[in-house]
Amino acid sequence: MKVTLLKAPIGGIIGLEMITFVEPLGLECVAGGLEGEGHTCQIVDMRIDGVEGGMAKVRAFGPGIVGLQCNFTTERFRALRLVRRVRQDFPDVLVVMGGHDASRDPHWFLKPGIDVIVIGDGEEVMPLLVEAWDRKKDLRSVPGLLISASPPIETGHAPARRDIDELPFPARHLIREYAGEYYINFRRPLALLETARGCPFKCNFCSVWKFHESTFR
């Protein structure tokens, strides 16, 4: 199955995004897992292409599933705007929302246009989701989901491998055309490397431990 993964455009001027503009490593990791299962993936970074340019790439690709990422609360409304645009252009695709913020507060994302929210590590959940959708269009047996329905359907706890070295490599080839655009301050080109995941502490200013349930890998 063809799967498009979208990085939403920047909305307004946010200080962090002016000094740090990095590759969508989470989407690359998800795509790496999907490609390992025989699916065909596309990553579109609308921070660079813009909405119109990005949607033109999506139309040319013709996906059956479109996945979007919301990592921070400040991204919520721009993610919803992009969902509305995707649904306008592709009324029949399955629209999946994932990412750190979506996993932390999934019920907030039960909004028109979003079919399912992924709760947990995308590398673990998305291959199961895409396979189930491709075979039978029924996601109720896939763990780690909140399915938009009346009432919403929660499918249980997502799997998580104890050692992140067991996860597939990120599909960096899918962002090759964008690679020269990513930077931190004056450092470019650059690539991100994940050396650990999670946190054993419970700081009140952070939500990483909530997402990973205080585990550390």
Side-chain angles (χ1 to χ4, degrees):
M1 174 166 280
K2 288 186 175 182
V3 180
T4 290
L5 303 170
L6 300 179
K7 184 65 177 177
I10 295 173
I13 298 176
I14 298 175
L16 182 62
E17 290 174 330
M18 300 299 291
I19 62 174
T20 302
F21 189 83
V22 297
E23 62 181 304
L25 182 59
L27 299 184
E28 295 166 36
C29 291
V30 170
L34 291 173
E35 289 189 335
E37 298 297 324
H39 302 290
T40 304
C41 295
Q42 172 193 49
I43 293 177
V44 178
D45 194 332
M46 291 187 171
R47 299 172 301 175
I48 298 171
D49 290 324
V51 174
E52 297 305 325
M55 292 306 296
K57 289 183 176 180
V58 180
R59 284 193 293 272
F61 186 68
I65 296 176
V66 174
L68 299 94
Q69 180 185 54
C70 186
N71 282 329
F72 303 103
T73 305
T74 53
E75 298 176 340
R76 286 184 175 187
F77 292 103
R78 77 182 90 154
L80 292 184
R81 287 193 294 271
L82 185 54
V83 165
R84 289 194 290 270
R85 178 57 190 272
V86 169
R87 186 58 75 195
Q88 173 186 321
D89 287 20
F90 303 95
D92 299 323
V93 302
L94 183 76
V95 176
V96 180
M97 181 65 71
H100 183 88
D101 188 52
S103 290
R104 187 188 60 82
D105 188 13
H107 285 269
W108 190 92
F109 290 87
L110 289 171
K111 299 287 193 292
I114 299 175
D115 297 307
V116 59
I117 300 102
V118 172
I119 306 170
D121 290 345
E123 304 101 315
E124 308 283 14
V125 179
M126 282 296 289
L128 300 175
L129 183 156
V130 174
E131 182 66 22
W133 189 251
D134 194 24
R135 287 191 293 106
K136 53 187 179 180
K137 299 295 188 291
D138 187 346
L139 301 176
R140 289 174 294 178
S141 64
V142 178
L145 302 179
L146 178 63
I147 300 171
S148 181
S150 186
I153 300 169
E154 298 188 51
T155 63
H157 205 276
R161 275 170 269 200
R162 293 180 59 86
D163 186 349
I164 59 174
D165 283 345
E166 298 174 3
L167 294 170
F169 283 110
R172 295 189 191 275
H173 62 281
L174 296 179
I175 56 98
R176 187 173 294 122
E177 65 177 301
Y178 303 123
E181 301 296 327
Y182 301 124
Y183 60 85
I184 294 178
N185 294 330
F186 299 105
R187 299 180 180 91
R188 80 161 80 189
L190 66 88
L192 300 182
L193 174 66
E194 184 180 33
T195 59
R197 186 174 292 188
C199 182
F201 302 106
K202 293 181 172 63
C203 301
N204 61 10
F205 57 82
C206 182
S207 61
V208 169
W209 62 271
K210 295 179 181 179
F211 179 95
H212 294 285
E213 299 176 337
S214 294
T215 62
F216 177 78
R217 292 176 279 164

